[in-house]
Amino acid sequence: MRLHLLGTAGYHPNEFRDTPCLMLPECGVLLDAGTGMHRLRDLLETRTLDIFLTHVHLDHVVGLTYLLGLLFDKPMDRIDVHGEAEKLRALDEHLFSQFLFPVRPAFAWRPLTQPVTLPGNGVVRWFPLQHPGGSVGYRIDWPQRSLAYVTDATAAPDASYIPEIRNVDLLVHECFFPDGWEERAEVTGHSCLTPVARLARQAEVGRLVLVHINPLAREADPFGIESVREIFPETRVGQDGMVIEF
């Protein structure tokens, strides 16, 4: 299975990173729909597309408006956008208001009510996260591999979602701040480096990839990743265009 990182920044894009969007081309899945969505077209391998939204802050959803152009001559059998019901209603009313984006692309809203089955026998489950306005994380299990995606949450070794991500092969977790910004992270609902590494160790995951990185930090490694190698050696900083086999 290949995970493509289409957007790894949070809040707004910069010259090197777009905002959150991850893709699993083999099963037609997108996790979040930020500005990284502009890279979708050339990666399509299926005639179905399932887009799972963690929440509806603009950096995670603005790419839904791109679908109208990206797929205009790409025959698709089905495009479903999954998320919490009240959040989907807000998107329908506001993002696709006649004053903002009057022509909605041909997709269906799918409120999260029960686990979602994917091509290839994958099963998507979700769990609540603490973030202003509310958010959810996702776990996808296939018969021989697993993936969890957690963004816009404050990591801690006793975080409530640890049981939901335990033992996944690959954890993609937000890390907006370097160490030293813990108070700001708590207020804004984001994470610092060392707490994320400690959480990954506590959850006994296989590998950790950091995303939702502060766009004001333009370095390839804005954290000094070596500082957490002793805590969790299998830690990488995500980059736009990175492809992860798991």
Side-chain angles (χ1 to χ4, degrees):
M1 188 71 69
R2 292 173 286 113
L3 177 69
H4 290 248
L5 306 188
L6 309 188
T8 57
Y11 190 23
H12 64 78
N14 63 24
E15 301 93 322
F16 311 106
R17 299 179 187 273
D18 278 287
T19 66
C21 189
L22 315 179
M23 187 175 189
L24 296 160
E26 294 159 77
C27 53
V29 165
L30 287 170
L31 298 168
D32 275 335
T35 60
M37 283 277 283
H38 74 84
R39 299 186 170 97
L40 162 70
R41 183 180 174 88
D42 292 337
L43 295 173
L44 280 173
E45 296 182 10
T46 62
R47 290 175 62 101
T48 64
L49 199 57
D50 286 283
I51 304 172
F52 292 90
L53 302 177
T54 58
H55 61 306
V56 296
H57 289 171
L58 285 175
D59 55 332
H60 294 255
V61 301
V62 68
L64 293 176
T65 64
Y66 303 172
L67 289 173
L68 190 66
L70 291 172
L71 302 179
F72 79 97
D73 62 350
K74 291 274 191 179
M76 299 294 289
D77 296 332
R78 174 181 60 79
I79 305 173
D80 287 343
V81 179
H82 307 263
E84 295 177 285
E86 62 181 346
K87 311 291 179 59
L88 299 183
R89 287 194 296 270
L91 284 177
D92 198 47
E93 179 181 356
H94 299 292
L95 184 62
F96 292 100
S97 152
Q98 63 174 324
F99 300 113
L100 288 182
F101 203 87
V103 182
R104 186 161 69 82
F107 58 70
W109 301 118
R110 300 295 184 193
L112 295 170
T113 57
Q114 58 187 357
V116 179
T117 302
L118 302 175
N121 297 315
V123 178
V124 183
R125 297 177 175 85
W126 59 94
F127 45 92
L129 300 172
Q130 293 295 318
H131 187 69
S135 184
V136 297
Y138 290 100
R139 176 174 179 144
I140 310 178
D141 288 284
W142 293 269
Q144 297 181 346
R145 59 182 61 86
S146 55
L147 161 72
Y149 175 49
V150 176
T151 186
D152 292 57
T154 305
D158 60 350
S160 63
Y161 55 90
I162 285 179
E164 310 294 344
I165 65 173
R166 188 172 299 282
N167 298 131
V168 293
D169 297 304
L170 176 63
L171 170 61
V172 181
H173 197 291
E174 83 128 65
C175 191
F176 196 82
F177 295 108
D179 290 339
W181 289 79
E182 286 77 12
E183 184 175 341
R184 183 65 174 168
E186 185 71 30
V187 169
T188 59
H190 292 295
S191 295
C192 293
L193 175 63
T194 295
V196 177
R198 288 175 175 161
L199 177 142
R201 182 176 64 184
Q202 181 69 19
E204 301 177 283
V205 307
R207 287 184 283 165
L208 170 64
V209 175
L210 306 177
V211 296
H212 202 279
I213 293 161
N214 187 342
L216 298 180
R218 290 172 166 79
E219 308 95 321
D221 175 10
F223 306 110
I225 200 72
E226 291 301 323
S227 65
V228 295
R229 294 293 189 199
E230 290 187 4
I231 299 172
F232 195 79
E234 293 297 321
T235 303
R236 298 176 68 184
V237 179
Q239 307 285 346
D240 285 22
M242 183 181 286
V243 181
I244 302 164
E245 299 270 355
F246 70 100

